[in-house]
Amino acid sequence: MSEGLVAVFSASGRPGLAQVRQLRRLGRRIRAVSRTSTPAFDGLEVVAADLNDAASLDRACEGVDTVLFTSPTFAQRDKAVEHATRLGDSARRAGVRRLVYNTTSWHPDRLTGVPTMDHGLLKTKALRETGVPLTVIRPSLFMDNLLTNWVKPQMLSTGVFAYPHKTDLNVSWICLDDVAKFMIEAAGRDEMEGETVDVGGPETLRPGQVAALLSEALGRPIVYQQITPREFGERMHAIFKDVSGQDRETYVTNLEKHYLFKNEANPFLVPMEETLRRLPVELTPMKVWLGQQDWTLEARETVGSVSG
């Protein structure tokens, strides 16, 4: 990446905070674009922008070399495609050298009839159609999901890691900081313009193996429980019903279709040898990542974007 100014959109969400951390590590100039203040922004230029307001996006992109963008998970989800178009247009008008988009959840390159993945594809397509110089980073599954309020509290209180993955599903788990590293590395390479890059972590793990690593990290037995995609959707709706923007049945059915598709197609398994040759990033094994986290119930994580 060149040494110009980097604007991190959705900077207060979990993916954005990881991007800020990695840019700080490299000593980069950062503009945190967020309407939420956080101590993580201390010493940074902070700009508020609204994805409904083109003028505010123009101001946020002014003088920027690189934009790192993660679409908000719940904020006006029905307008997310329109938001992507508006940001892409602003970045293009500002002469941004590259916009790197973190899809947060893998989606196919064609419409499938699965609403969550079709929605993801349409956002990516909208950005491409603006003509902004674009790189798309499409992650597998975030280790950081283990810290969220749909996994961590129950796991700590019951010793059960409950998820809708088949017990034999092989997953290339990746932490958000490593996704940020890939975004930054891709932004600095001319040959990555126009590319879509699937990224995963350094190892392949099945749910039972993740539970074993959690047991070691927490110093207590953790067992894996496969729940149905529908049950997972019901649990998620109970948590996010006030911000999801969808009625219960729509939300639950959409997540059910999402996990039924992914359990069969398994886009979570990502061969990384060629990607690491093109984008040499040091990846974090799950055991190392787990040992770096705060596993007390008092530690509250920013929800941010969902990957799964």
Side-chain angles (χ1 to χ4, degrees):
M1 183 184 286
S2 70
E3 296 305 309
L5 180 64
V6 183
V8 178
F9 279 76
S10 304
S12 59
R14 290 188 304 139
L17 290 170
Q19 293 156 29
V20 168
R21 282 194 296 271
Q22 293 304 317
L23 288 165
R24 279 190 186 273
R25 182 179 63 84
L26 295 171
R28 297 302 312 278
R29 293 171 54 218
I30 306 166
R31 175 179 292 166
V33 184
S34 176
R35 292 178 293 176
T36 303
S37 181
T38 168
F41 297 161
D42 288 353
L44 301 184
E45 178 189 4
V46 182
V47 173
D50 186 334
L51 289 166
N52 292 303
D53 180 0
S56 74
L57 297 176
D58 288 346
R59 290 191 294 272
C61 291
E62 185 178 357
V64 166
D65 176 83
T66 303
V67 167
L68 304 184
F69 176 52
T70 306
S71 179
T73 303
F74 295 119
Q76 297 183 308
R77 185 179 182 280
D78 60 326
K79 294 185 176 181
V81 175
E82 178 185 333
H83 290 165
T85 295
R86 194 172 289 119
L87 175 59
D89 284 340
S90 286
R92 177 179 45 77
R93 284 194 296 268
V96 165
R97 186 184 56 79
R98 186 75 56 81
L99 189 155
V100 183
Y101 175 45
N102 170 15
T103 65
T104 71
S105 184
W106 179 89
H107 63 73
D109 295 321
R110 58 181 177 82
L111 295 173
T112 63
V114 178
T116 52
M117 284 181 279
D118 288 353
H119 186 66
L121 172 62
L122 292 174
K123 287 190 289 183
T124 299
K125 184 172 181 286
L127 275 171
R128 286 200 186 282
E129 289 176 349
T130 66
V132 67
L134 180 69
T135 303
V136 177
I137 300 294
R138 203 162 51 181
S140 56
L141 181 67
F142 299 146
M143 297 179 191
D144 306 66
N145 283 9
L146 299 172
L147 296 169
T148 59
N149 54 359
W150 63 88
V151 174
K152 180 179 172 183
Q154 182 194 22
M155 185 169 64
L156 293 180
S157 62
T158 67
V160 174
F161 164 39
Y163 223 67
H165 287 176
K166 296 192 301 184
T167 57
D168 61 352
L169 196 71
N170 289 304
V171 175
S172 307
W173 292 79
I174 186 170
C175 67
L176 283 168
D177 281 86
D178 287 355
V179 175
K181 292 175 190 176
F182 277 119
M183 295 175 74
I184 295 165
E185 186 71 24
R189 295 177 177 268
D190 292 341
E191 69 273 18
M192 299 307 296
E193 182 178 335
E195 294 273 343
T196 294
V197 185
D198 290 331
V199 299
E203 59 202 335
T204 297
L205 298 168
R206 294 185 176 188
Q209 294 172 306
V210 174
L213 290 171
L214 283 163
S215 299
E216 184 178 349
L218 273 61
R220 52 175 290 200
I222 302 293
V223 298
Y224 179 66
Q225 178 187 22
Q226 180 186 352
I227 58 177
T228 67
R230 185 160 191 86
E231 183 180 355
F232 185 72
E234 291 168 346
R235 293 185 182 189
M236 292 289 278
H237 183 264
I239 296 170
F240 296 118
K241 59 186 176 183
D242 295 332
V243 294
S244 70
Q246 295 177 326
D247 65 83
R248 183 181 186 278
E249 183 57 28
T250 299
Y251 184 92
V252 171
T253 300
N254 286 354
L255 266 188
E256 181 180 31
K257 291 178 178 178
H258 181 94
Y259 282 99
L260 287 173
F261 182 98
K262 285 191 169 179
N263 267 328
E264 294 307 315
N266 191 15
F268 302 124
L269 181 59
V270 185
M272 289 300 296
E273 183 176 350
E274 176 62 16
T275 299
L276 289 171
R277 185 190 67 77
R278 301 181 69 195
L279 299 173
V281 164
E282 184 176 355
L283 294 174
T284 309
M286 181 172 279
K287 180 177 180 178
V288 172
W289 180 86
L290 290 171
Q292 296 169 343
Q293 310 312 311
D294 185 340
W295 292 102
T296 62
L297 271 175
E298 292 73 24
R300 296 295 181 186
E301 297 296 322
T302 304
V303 172
S305 298
V306 181
S307 167

